[in-house]
Amino acid sequence: MKELFSLSSFRSKMILAFLVITAVFGAANIYSYINGKKGLERFSHIIDEYVYLNELGEDIIALETEVEKYLSSKSSTALLNYYNIHSKLSEKSQGISRVNSYNEYDIMMKDIGFMIDEMLKESDEAINAKRGRSSSEYNNHFVRTYKISGYIKFYINNLLNNKLKTGSIEYEEISTNQERVNVFNIIFIVVVIVFSIVTAVLFTYKITRPIIDLSNAAEQISEGNYDIEHINVETHDELRTLATGFNNMADSIKLHIEGIKTQAETEKRLKEQEMQNLKMKNLLKDAELKSLQSQINPHFLFNTLNAASQLSAMEGADRSSEFILKAAELFRYSLRKLEEPVTIMDEVNNVSAYMYILKTRFGDRISYSVDVDESVKDEKIPCTIIQPIVENAYIHGLEEIEEHGEILLKVKEHKEIIEITVKDNGAGMEKEKVMEILNPSGNKSSSGHVTGIGTRNVIDRLKLFYGISNTEDIIHIESKKGVGTSVTLKIPKGNLTNLKGYGV
């Protein structure tokens, strides 16, 4: 009974000692972690804002440079760089909060956002004026662009100075706080070391001998010696239970070692088979890669068209240069991912490039006009939905007409619906053909001549994108044989967040 009491007391003391050490260590570590994390988050937030402002300032300077290069040399490279920087600044401007706030930083950032929008508008006007060869107009827009960028840089410099001052104060506070934590940690470590030494001296002597024996036996087993003698522990406590369990484990390992070896041999054979399968897959993958190498790289072709356009411009072949440039723009647009939304003006500009190529090829046989409501030109819609309709209007309506062919593209807003109408004066269709397009049977589809995207594909993508099941709610077709065809797409305004099924 006395031995049992002693065992119970020993166990209680060991548990209590380890619980106290663990609790103190845990509390100190949690405190240090929380304190360090808060300081790091505060400082990291300031650094992030500082880096963001620096990058914003660099983009403003880069935009000025590329606009000036284009206005002075009309370089296509400068224009391409300008549009890339323009896109970055536009995204950053959209990311700036415009919510009313009394915080000085938020107020200045909101002003910067509005100034970026105005600067981008003025720079676009300057570029367009340069294309229109109106020197006085593009000079005026460039001066306004430069003046607005100066205000933006002034605001950014003020914010950076404020961030430096704030960062210095935050750093001093964090350093002071960290020094206090370090002093606390040193005191804590000293206390724990003293407590641990006392505890070790009191308890180690009673438990070290059987543990050393167990350790030696475990080492022999790890080296592959399973013929070890059983470990005998004279005391009636947890260590004896541990020794008995260890002895049983050694016996079980010895009995099953041969079975493990057999299993290892089987697994080895399976691994060899898997390696053969993997080798075969690698050979197939290599064959696929070699097959892909024989295909034309579309980006290489796009870059080649741009190079040809620049070469034509340098040699004075302006019409050839413009033609090749439009072809490159059309090809670049076709490389876009269909799951990425675009603006209505992006789609209209793509159609204009396509029609430019047709008019260059066929001269006055075809006329093309555009009427876009200014209030909807920046609305987001699925990519490549207008060009296939225009393409079908030409191929199936006007291709056989020798003169006076007309295509009208009209975009307007009507009761929260954006109506995109493509109208031609071509061959027209019978009512049965219209019904077949709206309600196809079997696997037939009207595919595009160039894009490979037919009218049915456009209808299906719009229905999936906007969650509309009724075809008549998304498209309306009027056609009369020998008179022409009018196709109207009905796009719900401001429904960009509904991505259901898009790109499928």
Side-chain angles (χ1 to χ4, degrees), residues 219-373:
E219 185 175 359
Q220 293 183 47
I221 291 177
S222 68
E223 293 174 354
N225 180 19
Y226 302 103
D227 296 323
I228 60 173
E229 294 182 0
H230 282 189
I231 299 172
N232 295 318
V233 178
E234 298 298 332
T235 59
H236 298 279
D237 53 18
E238 294 89 349
L239 290 175
R240 184 173 184 176
T241 303
L242 180 62
T244 301
F246 183 87
N247 293 332
N248 293 334
M249 180 191 69
D251 292 337
S252 298
I253 292 174
K254 186 176 179 179
L255 290 173
H256 291 90
I257 192 63
E258 292 301 325
I260 293 175
K261 288 182 178 180
T262 303
Q263 184 179 0
E265 290 294 329
T266 303
E267 290 178 354
K268 182 179 179 181
R269 289 194 295 270
L270 291 175
K271 288 291 184 182
E272 291 175 352
Q273 185 62 43
E274 289 177 2
M275 290 299 296
Q276 290 293 332
N277 293 338
L278 181 60
K279 183 177 180 180
M280 182 61 69
K281 289 180 180 178
N282 288 336
L283 290 174
L284 292 174
K285 184 64 67 176
D286 184 63
E288 291 177 1
L289 290 174
K290 289 181 178 178
S291 175
L292 288 173
Q293 288 174 354
S294 65
Q295 300 178 16
I296 294 177
N297 187 326
H299 292 282
F300 173 77
L301 183 56
F302 166 66
N303 292 332
T304 301
L305 288 174
N306 271 335
S309 175
Q310 296 174 14
L311 183 60
S312 298
M314 287 189 292
E315 293 177 348
D318 293 338
R319 290 195 63 198
S320 298
S321 174
E322 184 72 11
F323 181 80
I324 295 173
L325 183 60
K326 293 297 183 182
E329 290 176 359
L330 184 66
F331 194 78
R332 177 178 60 186
Y333 198 85
S334 70
L335 294 177
R336 297 176 70 109
K337 294 182 179 179
L338 292 181
E339 68 268 18
E340 296 180 357
V342 297
T343 65
I344 286 179
M345 283 309 300
D346 288 337
E347 280 286 278
V348 172
N349 291 336
N350 182 50
V351 172
S352 297
Y354 171 73
M355 291 305 302
Y356 179 88
I357 293 173
L358 287 184
K359 288 178 63 64
T360 302
R361 290 174 57 195
F362 302 109
D364 295 333
R365 283 178 52 189
I366 304 171
S367 65
Y368 169 66
S369 57
V370 181
D371 182 9
V372 180
D373 191 341

Side-chain angles (χ1 to χ4, degrees), residues 159-176:
L159 289 176
L160 287 174
N161 290 333
N162 291 337
K163 288 299 171 186
L164 281 175
K165 294 178 182 177
T166 305
S168 299
I169 296 172
E170 290 286 336
Y171 180 77
E172 292 178 359
E173 293 179 358
I174 293 171
S175 298
T176 303

Side-chain angles (χ1 to χ4, degrees), residues 83-101:
Y83 283 130
N84 289 333
I85 300 170
H86 184 285
S87 178
K88 287 173 59 179
L89 283 173
S90 180
E91 290 178 1
K92 289 182 178 179
S93 174
Q94 293 175 8
I96 296 175
S97 175
R98 309 299 172 92
V99 179
N100 290 333
S101 173

